[in-house]
Amino acid sequence: RGAYKPEAIRSTWRQELDEAFAADDPLALGRRLSKRLARLTNDGLAEKTNKGHTPPSHPFFDACQAYAGAWAVLARALDDAVVRFLRRAVDEVAAGVTQRKARANALGYGDLLTRLDRALDPAAGPSAEHLTAQLRARFRAVLIDEFQDTDPVQYRIFQRIAGAAGAGSGAA
């Protein structure tokens, strides 16, 4: 199928492998090598060998197979470590923002929505029912601009305020 043309190996492959080995970053080396060397693994050779033919066999291809397996394990471990790091960073940044807002006695738009959502939650008891009744008495209609951008918290607030009153009354 022409996957291993000598001219391609001499020009493109050689240049890519030279650049990979010249890299100072071992992870960059691993990423660059894994793609090209995958074609030189026993599995890669078997995949590209024409039907009815036997793929070549050599200790170098065995070494490439071992490298590919080790790189796959390392890449998965690195991916997992990056995900754990990012989750921790997001949690720490969110906690820091919460602390700074508390020290500054400040609320953001999301905080206002979350607090209103909690205050309207029927599980909050009679105070939620009282607040809902007050809002319904004060506002005859609820209008939502850009409904497609409404998030679950906003929609829950809308349902709690207009839900029962709005059902069948034309309020929305």
Side-chain angles (χ1 to χ4, degrees), residues 95-130:
V97 168
T98 300
Q99 290 172 356
R100 285 188 197 97
K101 286 193 296 188
R103 281 194 302 265
N105 199 24
L107 294 173
Y109 179 72
D111 300 318
L112 297 173
L113 287 173
T114 302
R115 286 183 175 198
L116 178 58
D117 183 43
R118 273 188 261 152
L120 293 171
D121 186 350
S127 62
E129 294 173 21
H130 179 71

